[in-house]
Amino acid sequence: MGDQAVRVAHTEALFRDVNERIAASADRFNARDAEFVCECADPGCAERVPATLEQYEEVRSDGTHFLLSPGHELPEVERVVKQPHRRSVVVEKFNKVVARTVRRLNPRVDST
Ligand SMILES: [Zn+2]
């Protein structure tokens, strides 16, 4: 599980980086919402997850929270904490290795 957890964390952190760019460009165009990419553990996932920038910012305020398409969560490492939209869920990493890795890879300063 150790290696797999690190791999999962890296994949999800990569999708998070993509979403950071989507959020930044949406913000530049004064958009209120955007279609984000699903931040799940499947590197081949091409699902789009709609969210307002406000909802997105809320997800990003915690380094262990990720925005996923419903049903894409990996029950071994994460649990759903919120469903802001019928096409989106927010998950929290409870697996220690995954949580530590995604915190380390967080592009934002993690104050927790
Ligand atoms: Zn997905």
Side-chain angles (χ1 to χ4, degrees), residues 94-107:
F94 60 80
N95 177 287
K96 281 199 174 62
V97 178
V98 174
R100 194 172 54 225
T101 308
V102 295
R103 273 218 179 90
R104 186 168 52 77
L105 297 170
N106 192 357

mmCIF file with all atom_site columns, all heavy atoms in Angstrom, residues 94-107:
data_model
loop_
_atom_site.group_PDB
_atom_site.id
_atom_site.type_symbol
_atom_site.label_atom_id
_atom_site.label_alt_id
_atom_site.label_comp_id
_atom_site.label_asym_id
_atom_site.label_entity_id
_atom_site.label_seq_id
_atom_site.pdbx_PDB_ins_code
_atom_site.Cartn_x
_atom_site.Cartn_y
_atom_site.Cartn_z
_atom_site.occupancy
_atom_site.B_iso_or_equiv
_atom_site.pdbx_formal_charge
_atom_site.auth_seq_id
_atom_site.auth_comp_id
_atom_site.auth_asym_id
_atom_site.auth_atom_id
_atom_site.pdbx_PDB_model_num
ATOM 1   N N   . PHE A 1 94  ? -7.607  10.379 4.197  1.00 0.00 ? 94  PHE A N   1
ATOM 2   C CA  . PHE A 1 94  ? -7.371  9.973  5.581  1.00 0.00 ? 94  PHE A CA  1
ATOM 3   C C   . PHE A 1 94  ? -6.170  9.051  5.681  1.00 0.00 ? 94  PHE A C   1
ATOM 4   O O   . PHE A 1 94  ? -5.637  8.820  6.753  1.00 0.00 ? 94  PHE A O   1
ATOM 5   C CB  . PHE A 1 94  ? -8.617  9.329  6.201  1.00 0.00 ? 94  PHE A CB  1
ATOM 6   C CG  . PHE A 1 94  ? -9.098  8.089  5.491  1.00 0.00 ? 94  PHE A CG  1
ATOM 7   C CD1 . PHE A 1 94  ? -8.468  6.879  5.720  1.00 0.00 ? 94  PHE A CD1 1
ATOM 8   C CD2 . PHE A 1 94  ? -10.166 8.140  4.622  1.00 0.00 ? 94  PHE A CD2 1
ATOM 9   C CE1 . PHE A 1 94  ? -8.914  5.730  5.080  1.00 0.00 ? 94  PHE A CE1 1
ATOM 10  C CE2 . PHE A 1 94  ? -10.611 6.996  3.972  1.00 0.00 ? 94  PHE A CE2 1
ATOM 11  C CZ  . PHE A 1 94  ? -9.975  5.784  4.199  1.00 0.00 ? 94  PHE A CZ  1
ATOM 12  N N   . ASN A 1 95  ? -5.722  8.540  4.519  1.00 0.00 ? 95  ASN A N   1
ATOM 13  C CA  . ASN A 1 95  ? -4.524  7.709  4.518  1.00 0.00 ? 95  ASN A CA  1
ATOM 14  C C   . ASN A 1 95  ? -3.315  8.613  4.809  1.00 0.00 ? 95  ASN A C   1
ATOM 15  O O   . ASN A 1 95  ? -3.105  9.615  4.136  1.00 0.00 ? 95  ASN A O   1
ATOM 16  C CB  . ASN A 1 95  ? -4.377  7.030  3.150  1.00 0.00 ? 95  ASN A CB  1
ATOM 17  C CG  . ASN A 1 95  ? -3.112  6.197  3.038  1.00 0.00 ? 95  ASN A CG  1
ATOM 18  O OD1 . ASN A 1 95  ? -2.013  6.738  2.936  1.00 0.00 ? 95  ASN A OD1 1
ATOM 19  N ND2 . ASN A 1 95  ? -3.264  4.899  3.075  1.00 0.00 ? 95  ASN A ND2 1
ATOM 20  N N   . LYS A 1 96  ? -2.525  8.252  5.823  1.00 0.00 ? 96  LYS A N   1
ATOM 21  C CA  . LYS A 1 96  ? -1.447  9.130  6.289  1.00 0.00 ? 96  LYS A CA  1
ATOM 22  C C   . LYS A 1 96  ? -0.396  9.410  5.228  1.00 0.00 ? 96  LYS A C   1
ATOM 23  O O   . LYS A 1 96  ? 0.062   10.534 5.070  1.00 0.00 ? 96  LYS A O   1
ATOM 24  C CB  . LYS A 1 96  ? -0.775  8.515  7.523  1.00 0.00 ? 96  LYS A CB  1
ATOM 25  C CG  . LYS A 1 96  ? -1.557  8.712  8.789  1.00 0.00 ? 96  LYS A CG  1
ATOM 26  C CD  . LYS A 1 96  ? -0.655  8.515  10.008 1.00 0.00 ? 96  LYS A CD  1
ATOM 27  C CE  . LYS A 1 96  ? -1.408  8.857  11.284 1.00 0.00 ? 96  LYS A CE  1
ATOM 28  N NZ  . LYS A 1 96  ? -2.580  7.968  11.503 1.00 0.00 ? 96  LYS A NZ  1
ATOM 29  N N   . VAL A 1 97  ? 0.001   8.354  4.493  1.00 0.00 ? 97  VAL A N   1
ATOM 30  C CA  . VAL A 1 97  ? 1.034   8.520  3.464  1.00 0.00 ? 97  VAL A CA  1
ATOM 31  C C   . VAL A 1 97  ? 0.540   9.463  2.372  1.00 0.00 ? 97  VAL A C   1
ATOM 32  O O   . VAL A 1 97  ? 1.245   10.378 1.943  1.00 0.00 ? 97  VAL A O   1
ATOM 33  C CB  . VAL A 1 97  ? 1.433   7.149  2.860  1.00 0.00 ? 97  VAL A CB  1
ATOM 34  C CG1 . VAL A 1 97  ? 2.467   7.331  1.748  1.00 0.00 ? 97  VAL A CG1 1
ATOM 35  C CG2 . VAL A 1 97  ? 1.978   6.230  3.937  1.00 0.00 ? 97  VAL A CG2 1
ATOM 36  N N   . VAL A 1 98  ? -0.704  9.239  1.950  1.00 0.00 ? 98  VAL A N   1
ATOM 37  C CA  . VAL A 1 98  ? -1.284  10.069 0.891  1.00 0.00 ? 98  VAL A CA  1
ATOM 38  C C   . VAL A 1 98  ? -1.422  11.513 1.383  1.00 0.00 ? 98  VAL A C   1
ATOM 39  O O   . VAL A 1 98  ? -1.031  12.455 0.691  1.00 0.00 ? 98  VAL A O   1
ATOM 40  C CB  . VAL A 1 98  ? -2.661  9.516  0.436  1.00 0.00 ? 98  VAL A CB  1
ATOM 41  C CG1 . VAL A 1 98  ? -3.312  10.463 -0.560 1.00 0.00 ? 98  VAL A CG1 1
ATOM 42  C CG2 . VAL A 1 98  ? -2.513  8.138  -0.185 1.00 0.00 ? 98  VAL A CG2 1
ATOM 43  N N   . ALA A 1 99  ? -1.957  11.683 2.574  1.00 0.00 ? 99  ALA A N   1
ATOM 44  C CA  . ALA A 1 99  ? -2.164  13.024 3.123  1.00 0.00 ? 99  ALA A CA  1
ATOM 45  C C   . ALA A 1 99  ? -0.846  13.783 3.229  1.00 0.00 ? 99  ALA A C   1
ATOM 46  O O   . ALA A 1 99  ? -0.754  14.952 2.853  1.00 0.00 ? 99  ALA A O   1
ATOM 47  C CB  . ALA A 1 99  ? -2.842  12.940 4.491  1.00 0.00 ? 99  ALA A CB  1
ATOM 48  N N   . ARG A 1 100 ? 0.197   13.087 3.709  1.00 0.00 ? 100 ARG A N   1
ATOM 49  C CA  . ARG A 1 100 ? 1.498   13.738 3.863  1.00 0.00 ? 100 ARG A CA  1
ATOM 50  C C   . ARG A 1 100 ? 2.063   14.127 2.495  1.00 0.00 ? 100 ARG A C   1
ATOM 51  O O   . ARG A 1 100 ? 2.604   15.212 2.321  1.00 0.00 ? 100 ARG A O   1
ATOM 52  C CB  . ARG A 1 100 ? 2.453   12.792 4.600  1.00 0.00 ? 100 ARG A CB  1
ATOM 53  C CG  . ARG A 1 100 ? 3.709   13.487 5.099  1.00 0.00 ? 100 ARG A CG  1
ATOM 54  C CD  . ARG A 1 100 ? 4.514   12.570 5.990  1.00 0.00 ? 100 ARG A CD  1
ATOM 55  N NE  . ARG A 1 100 ? 4.805   11.313 5.317  1.00 0.00 ? 100 ARG A NE  1
ATOM 56  C CZ  . ARG A 1 100 ? 4.684   10.108 5.879  1.00 0.00 ? 100 ARG A CZ  1
ATOM 57  N NH1 . ARG A 1 100 ? 4.293   9.993  7.116  1.00 0.00 ? 100 ARG A NH1 1
ATOM 58  N NH2 . ARG A 1 100 ? 4.977   9.015  5.202  1.00 0.00 ? 100 ARG A NH2 1
ATOM 59  N N   . THR A 1 101 ? 1.944   13.218 1.540  1.00 0.00 ? 101 THR A N   1
ATOM 60  C CA  . THR A 1 101 ? 2.499   13.483 0.204  1.00 0.00 ? 101 THR A CA  1
ATOM 61  C C   . THR A 1 101 ? 1.776   14.636 -0.486 1.00 0.00 ? 101 THR A C   1
ATOM 62  O O   . THR A 1 101 ? 2.419   15.515 -1.060 1.00 0.00 ? 101 THR A O   1
ATOM 63  C CB  . THR A 1 101 ? 2.428   12.202 -0.669 1.00 0.00 ? 101 THR A CB  1
ATOM 64  O OG1 . THR A 1 101 ? 3.014   11.125 0.047  1.00 0.00 ? 101 THR A OG1 1
ATOM 65  C CG2 . THR A 1 101 ? 3.182   12.396 -1.975 1.00 0.00 ? 101 THR A CG2 1
ATOM 66  N N   . VAL A 1 102 ? 0.441   14.631 -0.437 1.00 0.00 ? 102 VAL A N   1
ATOM 67  C CA  . VAL A 1 102 ? -0.274  15.720 -1.122 1.00 0.00 ? 102 VAL A CA  1
ATOM 68  C C   . VAL A 1 102 ? -0.054  17.063 -0.428 1.00 0.00 ? 102 VAL A C   1
ATOM 69  O O   . VAL A 1 102 ? -0.048  18.100 -1.073 1.00 0.00 ? 102 VAL A O   1
ATOM 70  C CB  . VAL A 1 102 ? -1.801  15.449 -1.286 1.00 0.00 ? 102 VAL A CB  1
ATOM 71  C CG1 . VAL A 1 102 ? -2.038  14.265 -2.204 1.00 0.00 ? 102 VAL A CG1 1
ATOM 72  C CG2 . VAL A 1 102 ? -2.511  15.281 0.038  1.00 0.00 ? 102 VAL A CG2 1
ATOM 73  N N   . ARG A 1 103 ? 0.180   17.028 0.877  1.00 0.00 ? 103 ARG A N   1
ATOM 74  C CA  . ARG A 1 103 ? 0.495   18.271 1.590  1.00 0.00 ? 103 ARG A CA  1
ATOM 75  C C   . ARG A 1 103 ? 1.837   18.813 1.124  1.00 0.00 ? 103 ARG A C   1
ATOM 76  O O   . ARG A 1 103 ? 2.003   20.000 0.889  1.00 0.00 ? 103 ARG A O   1
ATOM 77  C CB  . ARG A 1 103 ? 0.568   18.025 3.101  1.00 0.00 ? 103 ARG A CB  1
ATOM 78  C CG  . ARG A 1 103 ? -0.760  18.144 3.791  1.00 0.00 ? 103 ARG A CG  1
ATOM 79  C CD  . ARG A 1 103 ? -0.616  18.818 5.153  1.00 0.00 ? 103 ARG A CD  1
ATOM 80  N NE  . ARG A 1 103 ? -1.928  18.929 5.789  1.00 0.00 ? 103 ARG A NE  1
ATOM 81  C CZ  . ARG A 1 103 ? -2.424  17.974 6.575  1.00 0.00 ? 103 ARG A CZ  1
ATOM 82  N NH1 . ARG A 1 103 ? -1.730  16.900 6.833  1.00 0.00 ? 103 ARG A NH1 1
ATOM 83  N NH2 . ARG A 1 103 ? -3.622  18.127 7.095  1.00 0.00 ? 103 ARG A NH2 1
ATOM 84  N N   . ARG A 1 104 ? 2.787   17.888 0.988  1.00 0.00 ? 104 ARG A N   1
ATOM 85  C CA  . ARG A 1 104 ? 4.131   18.276 0.565  1.00 0.00 ? 104 ARG A CA  1
ATOM 86  C C   . ARG A 1 104 ? 4.090   18.862 -0.857 1.00 0.00 ? 104 ARG A C   1
ATOM 87  O O   . ARG A 1 104 ? 4.844   19.771 -1.185 1.00 0.00 ? 104 ARG A O   1
ATOM 88  C CB  . ARG A 1 104 ? 5.062   17.054 0.625  1.00 0.00 ? 104 ARG A CB  1
ATOM 89  C CG  . ARG A 1 104 ? 6.513   17.350 0.356  1.00 0.00 ? 104 ARG A CG  1
ATOM 90  C CD  . ARG A 1 104 ? 7.405   16.152 0.721  1.00 0.00 ? 104 ARG A CD  1
ATOM 91  N NE  . ARG A 1 104 ? 6.969   14.892 0.113  1.00 0.00 ? 104 ARG A NE  1
ATOM 92  C CZ  . ARG A 1 104 ? 7.182   14.584 -1.179 1.00 0.00 ? 104 ARG A CZ  1
ATOM 93  N NH1 . ARG A 1 104 ? 7.821   15.398 -1.955 1.00 0.00 ? 104 ARG A NH1 1
ATOM 94  N NH2 . ARG A 1 104 ? 6.761   13.429 -1.657 1.00 0.00 ? 104 ARG A NH2 1
ATOM 95  N N   . LEU A 1 105 ? 3.216   18.311 -1.702 1.00 0.00 ? 105 LEU A N   1
ATOM 96  C CA  . LEU A 1 105 ? 3.131   18.743 -3.100 1.00 0.00 ? 105 LEU A CA  1
ATOM 97  C C   . LEU A 1 105 ? 2.168   19.914 -3.294 1.00 0.00 ? 105 LEU A C   1
ATOM 98  O O   . LEU A 1 105 ? 1.979   20.384 -4.405 1.00 0.00 ? 105 LEU A O   1
ATOM 99  C CB  . LEU A 1 105 ? 2.681   17.570 -3.982 1.00 0.00 ? 105 LEU A CB  1
ATOM 100 C CG  . LEU A 1 105 ? 3.619   16.362 -4.045 1.00 0.00 ? 105 LEU A CG  1
ATOM 101 C CD1 . LEU A 1 105 ? 2.939   15.200 -4.758 1.00 0.00 ? 105 LEU A CD1 1
ATOM 102 C CD2 . LEU A 1 105 ? 4.924   16.716 -4.741 1.00 0.00 ? 105 LEU A CD2 1
ATOM 103 N N   . ASN A 1 106 ? 1.552   20.369 -2.217 1.00 0.00 ? 106 ASN A N   1
ATOM 104 C CA  . ASN A 1 106 ? 0.578   21.449 -2.308 1.00 0.00 ? 106 ASN A CA  1
ATOM 105 C C   . ASN A 1 106 ? 1.228   22.712 -2.867 1.00 0.00 ? 106 ASN A C   1
ATOM 106 O O   . ASN A 1 106 ? 2.187   23.217 -2.297 1.00 0.00 ? 106 ASN A O   1
ATOM 107 C CB  . ASN A 1 106 ? 0.002   21.735 -0.915 1.00 0.00 ? 106 ASN A CB  1
ATOM 108 C CG  . ASN A 1 106 ? -1.211  22.639 -0.973 1.00 0.00 ? 106 ASN A CG  1
ATOM 109 O OD1 . ASN A 1 106 ? -1.598  23.102 -2.046 1.00 0.00 ? 106 ASN A OD1 1
ATOM 110 N ND2 . ASN A 1 106 ? -1.804  22.894 0.172  1.00 0.00 ? 106 ASN A ND2 1
ATOM 111 N N   . PRO A 1 107 ? 0.708   23.222 -3.995 1.00 0.00 ? 107 PRO A N   1
ATOM 112 C CA  . PRO A 1 107 ? 1.304   24.447 -4.561 1.00 0.00 ? 107 PRO A CA  1
ATOM 113 C C   . PRO A 1 107 ? 1.032   25.676 -3.702 1.00 0.00 ? 107 PRO A C   1
ATOM 114 O O   . PRO A 1 107 ? 1.662   26.706 -3.868 1.00 0.00 ? 107 PRO A O   1
ATOM 115 C CB  . PRO A 1 107 ? 0.627   24.571 -5.930 1.00 0.00 ? 107 PRO A CB  1
ATOM 116 C CG  . PRO A 1 107 ? -0.663  23.838 -5.790 1.00 0.00 ? 107 PRO A CG  1
ATOM 117 C CD  . PRO A 1 107 ? -0.421  22.740 -4.787 1.00 0.00 ? 107 PRO A CD  1
#
